[in-house]
Amino acid sequence: MALHQSLQQKLLQKLSPQQIQLMKLLQVPTANLEERIKEELEENPALEVGEEGQDDETAEEMKDEFESTEEEFDLDGGEDEYADVDISEYVVDDDGEIADYKMRDDNYPEADDKKTLPFKNESSFYDVLVDQLGLLELDERRYKVAEQIVGSLDDDGYLRREPASIVDDLAFRQNVTTDEQEVEGIIKLIQQFDPPGIGARNLQECLLLQLDRKMHEGKSVELAGIILTKYFDEFTKKHYEKIQHGLGLNDEQIREVIGQIVKLNPKPGGNVGEINKAESYIVPDFFITNNAGKLELTLNSRNAPDLRISEGYRDMLKDYDRGPKKDKRQKEAVLFIKQKIDSAKWFIDMIKQRQHTLLVTMDAIMKLQHDFFLTGDETVMRPMILKDVAERTSLDISTVSRVANSKFVQTEFGTYRLKFFFSESLSTDSGEEVSTREVKKILSNMIEAEDKRKPLSDEFLTDMLNEKGYNIARRTVAKYREQLNIPVARLRKEL
């Protein structure tokens, strides 16, 4: 194959490091922004926050580079060789480098209004159970077996692993020899822990473990145990007539027995300890207030940290600029400082762009859903998709998506994830476009108001919505009902 040369012209689009950093920062929620800034402060000594003099020690260490005498090192070149480092733009006095976005009053709460969020001091689910292990009389080997079983429980308190698998884990990972019979015996002990139902293998066993603790409460509890043992499938499908006929119970008795069962906790581990603090506490990114009919948008002050370039590093560059001699060691130090100052400027600029993007996106959402923020009524929400916000803000759809997926807004009606305000449109008989959120709210209200002894079927709900002017099919009603986590009519039936 012969070699040849050719000239080609290509158009490529590449993201700069700053654009990549901005995209990552946009996805960071307010609750995690402080941690991200802390990481940057640790990596970059030229960036500081808060009071002056915060980086004085680091700056003093670096300043020694400029106070070294010529005898401490050999010069590899003449003075002119190191005099070509341009630092003019770094030594100009400029107060504007202090985060100017922090100085603005518009769209920000008072700068001194530092809100402290309380966090509960709580133990994890695992810790709660390990504390109870200490109450058992176990030798060291059996204690390790029990600890392995406790560690195998999921967040709901269920034991999903087979005893044989636990035996293998102990043998290979901890060099502990045991057998399935011993593991089963220790599981029985753990099932006596609080809260009741811990260590069950399935829902049926979980409910029966809880009923065992209540057997002293009367005959209804005993009958509940019989139902869960012999009629569990009928109970889960709410075939109460079969249960009633099989046990010879009247309406009042079956209602009392079922009432005992529904009071039990199907997830005994779900309310114990701490699962994920980031999910337990929501820190709103925006606040919307109604001031005499006028909506006001503010950004959480934690989104606007007081970042600036270290004055100590600026002073070192000024000393270098005024110094008569330029040597290799000083030049290397100056290049390092320039790199760190550039990185700090980029980070501050990314924070500023992040705040601007958040504000314009939330402002567009607030204007599109103006009626909802005034009334809190979901039925007045307008259909809105990412493209609608992108067109109003001149941002890319992917940028709007990053903001909407991880941010929260606090209103006088509650705190909402921004995704809540996005919905598709649905046509009415009059040709008007309404939000699917409005239809879901009406559907939810219909089901809430139904007679639970005769729940409304999807077909009947479809007819009711059609009578209200909403052109909607039965399968769409079923889809919306499932999205609302509402079961079918048969499973909504109550005695």
Side-chain angles (χ1 to χ4, degrees):
M1 180 177 179
L3 297 176
H4 66 279
Q5 291 182 329
S6 63
L7 185 64
Q8 293 181 334
Q9 188 175 21
K10 292 183 178 180
L11 182 62
L12 299 176
Q13 184 177 13
K14 294 184 178 181
L15 290 176
S16 66
Q18 293 86 353
Q19 289 174 311
I20 296 174
Q21 191 174 45
L22 175 60
M23 293 301 101
K24 291 181 178 179
L25 279 177
L26 275 178
Q27 292 177 290
V28 177
T30 301
N32 299 335
L33 181 62
E34 291 180 352
E35 186 65 28
R36 175 65 184 87
I37 292 174
K38 183 180 178 181
E39 291 176 4
E40 191 69 22
L41 288 169
E42 292 174 351
E43 294 175 3
N44 190 350
L47 184 67
E48 66 179 15
V49 61
E51 296 79 16
E52 293 185 14
Q54 189 169 343
D55 292 338
D56 284 349
E57 294 183 6
T58 306
E60 284 299 324
E61 293 175 5
M62 288 295 300
K63 200 167 184 178
D64 290 342
E65 298 287 346
F66 302 99
E67 296 176 352
S68 301
T69 59
E70 292 181 22
E71 288 77 10
E72 293 180 9
F73 51 86
D74 296 329
L75 295 178
D76 294 337
E79 180 178 322
D80 295 340
E81 184 178 345
Y82 306 103
D84 58 351
V85 181
D86 183 14
I87 60 172
S88 58
E89 63 177 295
Y90 298 89
V91 298
V92 178
D93 292 328
D94 185 6
D95 294 334
E97 290 300 335
I98 298 177
D100 58 350
Y101 59 91
K102 181 73 176 178
M103 309 297 287
R104 301 197 308 257
D105 289 331
D106 297 339
N107 297 317
Y108 289 90
E110 289 299 323
D112 296 331
D113 183 17
K114 302 293 184 183
K115 296 182 180 179
T116 302
L117 292 175
F119 288 99
K120 293 184 294 184
N121 184 15
E122 52 192 358
S123 300
S124 68
F125 174 50
Y126 175 79
D127 292 335
V128 171
L129 297 181
V130 169
D131 289 343
Q132 296 179 69
L133 277 182
L135 303 177
L136 300 178
E137 296 182 359
L138 301 173
D139 56 32
E140 183 179 356
R141 186 186 64 82
R142 297 187 73 208
Y143 184 87
K144 289 184 178 180
V145 176
E147 201 172 26
Q148 179 71 27
I149 294 171
V150 169
S152 300
L153 300 180
D154 63 16
D155 292 338
D156 294 330
Y158 286 86
L159 180 62
R160 308 293 187 182
R161 291 182 65 79
E162 294 295 329
S165 300
I166 296 175
V167 170
D168 292 341
D169 289 343
L170 287 164
F172 289 111
R173 298 182 182 180
Q174 300 190 42
N175 197 26
V176 174
T177 304
T178 184
D179 54 40
E180 295 183 34
Q181 185 177 357
E182 185 177 39
V183 169
E184 285 285 359
I186 296 178
I187 290 174
K188 295 294 183 185
L189 294 175
I190 292 174
Q191 288 177 344
Q192 303 305 313
F193 287 178
D194 287 327
I198 290 295
R201 268 62 70 92
N202 51 56
L203 176 61
Q204 183 180 20
E205 185 180 12
C206 176
L207 298 178
L208 285 171
L209 286 171
Q210 295 177 57
L211 284 178
D212 286 342
R213 307 272 188 103
K214 303 172 65 177
M215 280 302 177
H216 62 280
E217 295 185 9
K219 187 172 178 59
S220 62
V221 177
E222 183 180 343
L223 288 171
I226 295 174
I227 290 175
L228 291 178
T229 304
K230 297 183 178 180
Y231 298 94
F232 185 72
D233 288 340
E234 288 80 1
F235 169 74
T236 57
K237 297 175 181 178
K238 292 197 174 184
H239 291 162
Y240 298 135
E241 294 83 0
K242 292 183 180 179
I243 299 174
Q244 190 173 357
H245 179 73
L247 296 176
L249 303 176
N250 58 36
D251 292 346
E252 185 62 32
Q253 289 174 323
I254 190 67
R255 188 179 296 112
E256 182 182 358
V257 174
I258 297 300
Q260 289 285 354
I261 298 176
V262 297
K263 286 188 293 185
L264 303 177
N265 186 359
K267 297 180 179 181
N271 298 323
V272 179
E274 168 196 11
I275 302 302
N276 189 331
K277 185 172 288 186
E279 295 178 358
S280 301
Y281 302 94
I282 295 176
V283 179
D285 301 85
F286 311 95
F287 302 93
I288 292 182
T289 55
N290 184 352
N291 187 0
K294 181 181 179 182
L295 295 177
E296 296 180 353
L297 170 65
T298 55
L299 192 66
N300 191 326
S301 60
R302 293 171 63 179
N303 275 298
D306 186 9
L307 298 175
R308 58 190 173 188
I309 307 298
S310 171
E311 286 300 321
Y313 278 74
R314 288 182 180 278
D315 292 341
M316 283 187 283
L317 289 181
K318 292 177 183 178
D319 291 343
Y320 174 83
D321 190 49
R322 290 193 295 262
K325 294 184 178 181
K326 320 290 184 184
D327 52 57
K328 179 180 180 181
R329 188 171 179 181
Q330 288 182 343
K331 179 180 178 180
E332 290 175 350
V334 166
L335 291 176
F336 171 81
I337 293 171
K338 284 181 62 178
Q339 178 187 7
K340 292 301 180 183
I341 289 179
D342 285 338
S343 178
K345 285 182 176 181
W346 289 342
F347 188 76
I348 291 174
D349 189 48
M350 293 307 102
I351 292 290
K352 290 158 69 173
Q353 289 189 45
R354 179 182 185 273
Q355 312 327 317
H356 173 73
T357 303
L358 291 180
L359 280 172
V360 296
T361 303
M362 188 64 236
D363 184 65
I365 294 174
M366 183 180 70
K367 290 177 180 177
L368 284 167
Q369 304 293 359
H370 183 269
D371 292 342
F372 171 81
F373 289 113
L374 284 178
T375 64
D377 185 0
E378 292 184 28
T379 61
V380 300
M381 290 181 66
R382 298 173 52 186
M384 183 180 75
I385 58 176
L386 294 172
K387 183 179 178 182
D388 297 329
V389 178
E391 289 175 350
R392 277 180 171 254
T393 59
S394 299
L395 296 172
D396 190 81
I397 292 179
S398 62
T399 302
V400 176
S401 177
R402 285 185 174 90
V403 174
N405 283 336
S406 58
K407 305 297 181 294
F408 291 85
V409 58
Q410 179 176 309
T411 72
E412 57 186 289
F413 312 106
T415 301
Y416 302 91
R417 189 186 290 270
L418 296 197
K419 285 174 60 177
F420 171 80
F421 303 104
F422 292 86
S423 61
E424 299 288 342
S425 61
L426 188 73
S427 298
T428 64
D429 288 340
S430 61
E432 180 185 2
E433 296 287 327
V434 297
S435 169
T436 54
R437 181 78 62 182
E438 173 184 335
V439 180
K440 289 179 183 179
K441 181 62 177 177
I442 294 173
L443 178 63
S444 177
N445 291 340
M446 287 178 175
I447 294 175
E448 187 176 343
E450 71 184 359
D451 182 358
K452 297 303 179 184
R453 290 174 298 181
K454 296 181 179 179
L456 302 175
S457 65
D458 290 347
E459 291 82 358
F460 199 84
L461 290 170
T462 303
D463 293 339
M464 293 176 66
L465 287 170
N466 288 335
E467 289 176 6
K468 290 180 177 290
Y470 299 103
N471 294 323
I472 189 169
R474 189 205 61 80
R475 63 179 180 276
T476 307
V477 170
K479 182 179 74 171
Y480 290 171
R481 176 180 51 72
E482 291 172 358
Q483 290 174 353
L484 293 169
N485 293 321
I486 298 175
V488 296
R490 176 172 53 80
L491 298 181
R492 298 199 305 271
K493 185 177 181 181
E494 296 179 3
L495 294 173

